[in-house]
Amino acid sequence: MDPVEALGPLEARVMDSMWTAGTGTAREVYATLGEEWAYTTIMTTLDRLHRKGLLLREKEGLAWRYRPVLARDAFERAKVDALAERLLGEGHGLGLAALVDAADAATLDRLAELIEARRRA
Amino acid sequence: MIPTLGAFLQTVAVLVAASACGSLAVQPAVAGLRRLRVAPAARADLAVAVAALPAGAVVVVAVAVAFPGALDLLGLVRDHCDEHGGHGHLCLAHPAGAAPSLVAVGALAIAATLLRAARWVAARAAAARDLTALLRLGVRGAEGPDVVRVDGDTVLCHAAGAWAPRVLVSTRLLAGLPPALLSAALAHERAHVERRDVLARDLLAVLGFFAWPGVLSDAAVAWEEAAEEAADAAAAERFGGPLVASALVAVARLSLAPAPASMPIVGARLTRRVRALLDGPLHRPALALSAVPGLLLALVALAALNAEPLHHAAETALHLLFGA
């Protein structure tokens, strides 16, 4: 699952509905979204979200019942982390965290001692 | 006067030679820059000026090549096309003298430059989309109007955005730093925003299109080191060197990761920054990045004033090198 690339506009609406309701079948999501889209489109979108790893599903009679793999806030955290990692990896930001992360614990201890010694002096 | 394709490509080949000359000067200039004991803000500005050397050479030669023809076009001075015998002839209007080898070099240079520019623009556009998505997930205001807080586990403390720069911080960083160190870290990032460092880095990338591939990478590293130290110094003016140094170490500890095997001296850059903060501010000469456009304009004016001899010098060099 890539949380950054995961959602198109309709997928976002469907996930929003799933996060609000907790679980749902294609028929229930179709009813929630005000029948703005065709029932078959909703069914296809739910299946696609399942294949992307965003929804789990289990059989309920003849239909599938879906539920989100991650809660909304966990999904958004994963998205933030994925976006942040990409920005840091591509070197498009400037900052403390980008340039000081190559030090090891021993170096950091030594530097902390140096700073403390200078403070005392 | 309508430039023909052959004449245009031959002119581009001459600009490639100018770029090569400018590129040759970059490495020794960067080495000298790193030995300079001046304030990091001045070193950052000088690094941009050094990175502008190839672009400056290209602009000067472009002016020299095009100036006689442009004056002819305006009816001010008659061009010297008729005065060339077997001598090489740099002229945008007459394709007869265009050497095939130079035309090929010009065509290759344009293709390579366009490819590099397209890749960079695509990468920048992707990064801008990522940044927009990240900002949309963030909350503004709690740490200041210019700070956007995002809820994530990545240690994020960054200035981002070229035209509307902001400071991005993650909840992981906010939870991991005591208030005093957080204030010092945010002051460092605000200094990047005030210095417009993200935009300066884009400017360096654009200047790189005028240099030979890879030549400006050392200048870019020198600029980045100097820009970071300049932001450290700006934060130290407000909070003192030891507190900013402690913030650096604290952020490094939060994002502690195994050092890559290719890095023989672990934490060398961090050590240098901490020592610089503890040693206190360096002398800051009266020099600013805003002087660079003025310097480039002065170069262009100088080239225009000396267009004739420069133009003939370029033609003579072409004649000697290629028999064109």
Side-chain angles (χ1 to χ4, degrees):
Chain A
M1 178 183 69
D2 179 352
V4 176
E5 304 297 346
L7 301 180
L10 175 56
E11 290 172 337
R13 292 285 303 274
V14 170
M15 283 305 295
D16 203 41
S17 150
M18 297 300 294
W19 278 320
T20 305
T23 69
T25 61
R27 182 71 57 193
E28 288 164 0
V29 176
Y30 174 65
T32 307
L33 294 184
E35 301 175 6
E36 200 176 326
W37 286 278
Y39 171 71
T40 49
T41 307
I42 298 295
M43 211 161 62
T44 311
T45 304
L46 284 164
D47 182 59
R48 193 165 57 245
L49 289 167
H50 167 68
R51 280 186 280 112
K52 282 182 174 180
L54 290 166
L55 295 176
L56 295 171
R57 69 182 182 186
E58 55 191 18
K59 208 70 175 165
E60 188 178 275
L62 292 175
W64 291 106
R65 176 163 291 279
Y66 293 87
R67 62 187 165 87
V69 171
L70 293 175
R72 190 199 300 266
D73 58 347
F75 177 80
E76 287 187 350
R77 277 181 85 88
K79 189 170 180 177
V80 163
D81 287 334
L83 286 166
E85 293 290 343
R86 264 172 36 175
L87 276 175
L88 296 183
E90 289 157 4
H92 286 289
L94 281 158
L96 287 173
L99 286 168
V100 297
D101 60 358
D104 63 358
T107 306
L108 297 180
D109 290 343
R110 190 170 47 76
L111 289 173
E113 281 169 19
L114 184 68
I115 295 166
E116 197 46 46
R118 195 62 67 94
R119 271 209 185 104
R120 281 198 300 268
Chain B
M1 182 181 73
I2 301 168
T4 66
L5 185 62
F8 173 71
L9 292 176
Q10 175 172 269
T11 303
V12 172
V14 175
L15 300 184
V16 170
S19 159
C21 293
S23 298
L24 279 174
V26 168
Q27 299 302 341
V30 168
L33 184 68
R34 281 187 157 148
R35 283 195 293 269
L36 270 181
R37 292 277 298 158
V38 293
R43 247 184 320 119
D45 290 355
L46 277 171
V48 175
V50 166
L53 282 174
V58 167
V59 169
V60 164
V61 173
V63 169
V65 167
F67 208 60
L71 288 181
D72 192 1
L73 182 69
L74 294 170
L76 297 175
V77 172
R78 192 172 169 278
D79 203 357
H80 59 291
C81 296
D82 299 336
E83 296 159 22
H84 287 274
H87 194 286
H89 182 33
L90 262 182
C91 174
L92 292 174
H94 299 111
S101 55
L102 290 179
V103 169
V105 168
L108 275 174
I110 287 177
T113 305
L114 285 178
L115 187 66
R116 285 167 72 193
R119 286 174 60 182
W120 180 76
V121 168
R124 282 295 286 111
R129 278 196 301 275
D130 285 350
L131 181 61
T132 304
L134 201 52
L135 291 173
R136 216 175 275 147
L137 291 166
V139 180
R140 191 185 290 240
E143 289 75 28
D146 52 346
V147 178
V148 177
R149 186 182 71 223
V150 289
D151 186 11
D153 294 324
T154 309
V155 178
L156 198 60
C157 188
H158 277 70
W163 298 107
R166 273 146 296 191
V167 178
L168 275 169
V169 289
S170 62
T171 44
R172 167 90 195 282
L173 181 103
L174 295 172
L177 285 189
L181 296 187
L182 180 64
S183 299
L186 289 176
H188 169 102
E189 296 310 324
R190 286 194 174 103
H192 278 308
V193 169
E194 280 160 20
R195 289 171 41 79
R196 292 262 172 190
D197 278 336
V198 182
L199 188 62
R201 186 156 64 185
D202 282 353
L203 172 67
L204 278 175
V206 172
L207 289 174
F209 300 141
F210 294 91
W212 281 44
V215 163
L216 289 195
S217 55
D218 280 354
V221 170
W223 172 82
E224 196 158 298
E225 285 174 0
E228 287 300 331
E229 287 174 31
D232 289 345
E237 274 178 24
R238 188 161 168 215
F239 291 100
L243 189 66
V244 178
S246 295
L248 288 181
V249 173
V251 173
R253 222 183 268 286
L254 277 180
S255 47
L256 202 58
S262 58
M263 186 163 288
I265 307 169
V266 175
R269 196 181 269 191
L270 176 61
T271 304
R272 177 188 156 120
R273 286 171 64 184
V274 167
R275 284 188 184 282
L277 281 164
L278 296 179
D279 289 345
L282 286 166
H283 167 64
R284 176 166 192 165
L287 176 82
L289 190 59
S290 53
V292 172
L295 202 65
L296 273 176
L297 272 177
L299 272 175
V300 169
L302 202 66
L305 286 172
N306 296 284
E308 281 295 328
L310 280 170
H311 189 90
H312 284 291
E315 285 176 334
T316 305
L318 273 184
H319 184 64
L320 291 174
L321 289 171
F322 298 98

